[in-house]
């Protein structure tokens, strides 16, 4: 992109960063001495505010950049990501939202530890939550790098590297100074901006085709280079049985993974009651549903207007499809309209990334401080404030995410999020559901369930085509690929449930029926909830 695009987009980047830092400064003046204020914003947010914040947390760079890019490159098979991300909210609404709000205080481990031996359960759940959060953060870092690479002409590797570092530094500042209060308001601002940008682009695409969606699809198929195959299943996931199993694996991960994402679960604690938590999810489903319907239009619009080859030429993973679409809709690279629209969309995407990384970092730092530190510190050691530990943890998580983000720069962000969802569905969801609904569940079952899903998921990713053995792998020059699927969910999710069952039936520990009864009453009625 030329100088006008760069200058305007960077100006808008700067405005959003200034606004978010102002929100963080305002929030930092509030009382942060208590863990409840830092982790949950004092539980003072309304269902509508929290619904917007949940939508802001969930509609990430993977959604705005990655899904639209996959649709632009693979048509129908890319659309499946939109369906999976949206359907996942039904699981959250009916199985998780109210029960988690009633049973816990700040983290997933609170729910599980309510009826188990706390130390081993908190260590396991905390480790899993941090792992999922870091994987999710990597996707946001990759999205930020791709965006700035496009802005600066697609060749500026140094700028891409410094962008990833800059995003990491900002997320640490947001979390360390502002806590949940600042993070929530940043999410709300970002959700409004993202919905506004998506609506504007969707309207412009439909106007270009006079409201004829059929013509949009036919043009997208013609310009994709694949013809009618572009609109049919199988372009990405239908070549052979391995690809079809990969699709099933991805679908399981997307539908089941949302209910195990730490930064989504933590949002249910920012409202005063379980009823408010459920109403928050209803608000968020409305926003998220509308947004994912628009990503379908944007993806096919990018294929029809920009062309799949041009999208692939800009970024092999398709992460730049929406900014390129905005440039074309505004009138082209040399037009004022194109310059303005591209800059606005690039700034919204950047805002999306900054807001999401703040939410994820807060959730992971809470797991480190509230679960891992509290469980692992020596009994005779001088205790440090949980909030102080969480702030230090935010910096550590930021460093790890920056390093992995620099390593994975060439992978599609929606695909990377699919991996995070697979790990969440394998390690967090089984232990959560068993704890809430299985009367005989024991401590050994809880620990085995977490590690029995987490370790196989990570091992299978390491042995998959994602890491080695192919031209698009992280390490294309080596080959230790022994697992054929790119997403491990098909194997690792059942293993997580199986390990939890096996750990329970082989345990000598008797399940505490009184604690289960107390948890059941509390989860269903809210009696005794914090």
């Amino acid at each position: 992109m030329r100088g006008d695009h760069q200058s305007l987009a960077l100006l808008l980047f700067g405005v959003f960063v200034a606004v978010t830092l102002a929100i963080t400064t305002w929030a930092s003046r509030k009382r942060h001495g208590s863990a409840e204020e830092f982790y949950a914003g004092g539980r003072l947010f309304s269902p509508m505010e929290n619904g917007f914040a949940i939508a802001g947390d969930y509609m990430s760079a993977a959604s705005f950049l990655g899904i639209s890019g996959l649709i632009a490159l693979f048509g129908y098979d890319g659309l499946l990501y939109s369906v999976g991300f949206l359907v996942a909210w039904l699981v959250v609404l009916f199985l998780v939202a109210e029960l988690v709000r009633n049973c816990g205080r700040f983290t997933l481990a609170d729910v599980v530890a309510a009826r188990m031996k706390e130390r081993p359960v908190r260590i396991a759940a905390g480790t899993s939550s941090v792992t999922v959060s870091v994987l999710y953060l990597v996707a946001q870092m990759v999205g930020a790098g791709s965006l700035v690479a496009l802005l600066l002409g697609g060749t500026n590797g140094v700028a891409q590297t410094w962008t990833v570092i800059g995003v990491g530094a900002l997320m640490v500042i947001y979390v360390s100074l502002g806590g949940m209060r600042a993070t929530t308001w940043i999410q709300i601002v970002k959700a409004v901006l993202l919905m506004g940008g998506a609506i504007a682009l969707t309207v412009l695409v439909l106007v270009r085709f006079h409201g004829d969606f059929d013509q949009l699809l036919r043009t997208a198929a013609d310009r994709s280079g694949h013809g009618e195959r572009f609109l049919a299943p199988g372009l990405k996931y239908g070549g052979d049985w391995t690809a079809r199993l990969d699709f099933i694996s991805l679908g399981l991960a997307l539908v089941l993974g949302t209910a195990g994402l730490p930064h989504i679960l933590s949002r249910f604690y920012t409202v005063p009651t379980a009823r408010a938590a459920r109403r928050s999810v209803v608000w968020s489903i409305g926003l998220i549903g509308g947004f994912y319907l628009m990503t379908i239009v944007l993806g096919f619009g990018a294929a029809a207007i920009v062309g799949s080859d041009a999208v692939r030429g800009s970024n092999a993973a398709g992460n730049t499809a929406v900014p390129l679409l905005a440039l074309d809709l505004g009138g082209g690279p040399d037009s004022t309209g194109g310059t303005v629209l591209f800059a606005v969309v690039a700034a919204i995407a950047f805002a999306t990334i900054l807001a999401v990384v703040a939410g994820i970092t807060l959730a992971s730092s809470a797991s480190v401080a509230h679960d891992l530190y509290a469980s692992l510190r020596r009994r005779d050691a001088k205790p440090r404030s949980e909030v102080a530990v969480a702030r230090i943890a935010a910096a550590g998580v930021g460093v790890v995410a920056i390093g992995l983000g620099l390593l994975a720069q060439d992978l599609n962000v929606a695909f990377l999020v699919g991996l995070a969802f697979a790990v969440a569905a394998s390690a967090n969801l089984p232990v959560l559901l068993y704890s809430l609904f299985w009367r005989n569940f024991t401590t050994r079952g809880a620990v085995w369930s977490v590690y029995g899903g987490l370790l196989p998921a990570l091992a299978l990713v390491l042995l998959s085509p994602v890491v080695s053995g192919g031209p698009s792998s992280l390490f294309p020059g080596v080959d230790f690929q022994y697992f054929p699927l790119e997403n491990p969910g098909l194997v690792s999710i059942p293993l997580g449930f199986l390990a939890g069952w096996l750990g329970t039936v082989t345990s000598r520990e008797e399940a505490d029926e009184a604690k289960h009864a107390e948890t059941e009453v509390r989860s269903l009625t809210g009696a005794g909830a914090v």
Side-chain angles (χ1 to χ4, degrees):
M1 299 300 131
R2 297 295 181 261
D4 289 342
H5 302 77
Q6 293 180 23
S7 301
L8 185 55
L10 292 173
L11 175 63
L12 292 173
F13 286 178
V15 168
F16 182 80
V17 170
V19 169
T20 52
L21 287 175
I23 292 172
T24 303
T25 303
W26 163 77
S28 68
R29 294 175 180 170
K30 304 291 181 180
R31 178 174 53 89
H32 280 315
S34 70
E36 183 172 294
E37 176 65 33
F38 186 79
Y39 296 145
R43 309 191 200 281
L44 298 175
F45 292 99
S46 70
M48 185 182 76
E49 290 168 346
N50 198 44
F52 269 82
I54 291 172
D57 243 337
Y58 196 65
M59 297 184 304
S60 65
S63 305
F64 194 49
L65 302 178
I67 293 177
S68 300
L70 285 172
I71 294 173
L73 296 182
F74 301 107
Y76 180 92
D77 281 11
L79 180 151
L80 296 170
Y81 274 86
S82 291
V83 176
F85 278 127
L86 179 55
V87 171
W89 276 99
L90 298 178
V91 179
V92 176
L93 178 63
F94 291 117
L95 285 181
V96 171
E98 277 193 55
L99 307 185
V100 165
R101 174 61 188 84
N102 283 335
C103 289
R105 291 183 65 217
F106 307 124
T107 64
L108 165 71
D110 288 336
V111 180
V112 183
R115 45 182 291 226
M116 310 290 175
K117 295 177 183 175
E118 284 207 26
R119 192 169 187 270
V121 168
R122 285 194 180 277
I123 292 172
T127 301
S128 173
S129 295
V130 172
T131 303
V132 172
S133 298
V134 169
L135 285 173
Y136 210 112
L137 280 171
V138 169
Q140 311 311 314
M141 299 296 193
V142 170
S146 298
L147 193 63
V148 171
L150 172 66
L151 184 68
L152 300 179
T155 57
N156 199 323
V158 174
Q160 195 168 353
T161 298
W162 279 106
T163 300
V164 173
I165 295 172
V167 169
L170 281 170
M171 76 187 191
V172 173
I173 292 171
Y174 292 152
V175 172
S176 299
L177 295 182
M180 179 58 86
R181 191 183 295 271
T183 299
T184 299
W185 282 108
I186 291 169
Q187 299 286 12
I188 293 170
V189 171
K190 167 259 174 134
V192 172
L193 288 175
L194 184 58
M195 288 298 291
I199 290 169
L201 288 180
T202 300
V203 169
L204 288 173
V205 170
L206 293 176
V207 167
R208 176 73 67 93
F209 290 93
H210 310 290
D212 189 342
F213 195 71
D214 185 56
Q215 183 187 352
L216 167 62
L217 294 179
R218 288 200 307 269
T219 307
D222 291 340
R223 296 206 61 191
S224 69
H226 299 288
E228 292 298 320
R229 292 178 56 222
F230 190 70
L231 304 178
L235 196 59
K236 180 174 174 62
Y237 292 112
D240 52 30
W241 276 106
T242 299
R244 294 174 189 176
L245 290 173
D246 219 346
F247 162 65
I248 297 172
S249 186
L250 172 68
L252 280 173
L254 294 181
V255 171
L256 299 178
T258 301
L261 292 175
H263 65 291
I264 298 297
L265 294 175
S266 67
R267 293 236 59 92
F268 300 139
Y269 301 123
T270 63
V271 289
T273 64
R275 184 169 180 266
R278 179 177 281 269
R279 289 173 61 200
S280 296
V281 176
V282 173
W283 271 100
S284 65
I285 285 177
L287 294 167
I288 291 166
F291 175 76
Y292 281 117
L293 288 175
M294 290 187 285
T295 62
I296 297 171
V297 176
L298 297 181
F300 283 114
I305 296 170
V306 180
S308 298
D309 289 341
V311 171
R312 190 177 288 105
S314 171
N315 181 274
N319 294 330
T320 54
V322 172
L324 290 174
L325 174 64
L327 187 64
D328 203 300
L329 289 171
D334 299 319
S335 67
T336 302
T339 298
V340 171
L341 196 56
F342 171 86
V344 168
V345 168
I348 289 173
F350 197 70
T352 296
I353 291 164
L354 287 179
V356 171
V357 297
I360 301 169
T361 305
L362 180 60
S364 56
S365 63
S367 291
V368 171
H370 187 62
D371 300 327
L372 297 178
Y373 170 75
S375 300
L376 292 173
R377 72 178 177 85
R378 289 168 45 197
R379 301 287 183 187
D380 57 346
K382 181 181 178 181
R384 300 186 63 163
S385 163
E386 258 192 34
V387 174
V389 175
R391 288 175 171 144
I392 296 170
V397 169
V399 170
V400 174
I402 288 169
L404 292 175
L406 294 174
L407 186 65
Q409 288 182 27
D410 295 327
L411 296 180
N412 180 277
V413 288
F415 167 73
L416 285 170
V417 166
L419 293 182
F421 273 58
V423 177
S426 304
N428 291 349
L429 184 64
V431 72
L432 183 61
L433 294 183
Y434 278 148
S435 297
L436 291 172
F437 299 112
W438 190 11
R439 180 181 302 275
N440 297 324
F441 197 45
T442 63
T443 302
R444 176 190 282 185
V447 173
W448 282 26
S449 182
V450 173
Y451 292 129
L454 177 65
L455 297 179
L458 294 178
L460 292 175
V461 169
L462 289 174
L463 299 176
S464 74
V466 176
V467 176
S468 70
S472 60
S473 303
L474 286 179
F475 303 106
V478 294
D479 187 359
F480 46 88
Q481 172 198 332
Y482 298 103
F483 181 66
L485 306 184
E486 293 185 345
N487 192 293
L490 185 63
V491 176
S492 59
I493 295 172
L495 285 178
F497 281 99
L498 177 63
W501 172 82
L502 191 62
T504 298
V505 298
T506 59
S507 173
R508 295 180 180 177
E509 173 191 358
E510 289 290 333
D512 191 327
E513 294 203 9
K515 281 189 176 180
H516 171 75
E518 180 185 338
T519 302
E520 189 173 42
V521 170
R522 181 172 167 180
S523 66
L524 295 175
T525 67
V530 178

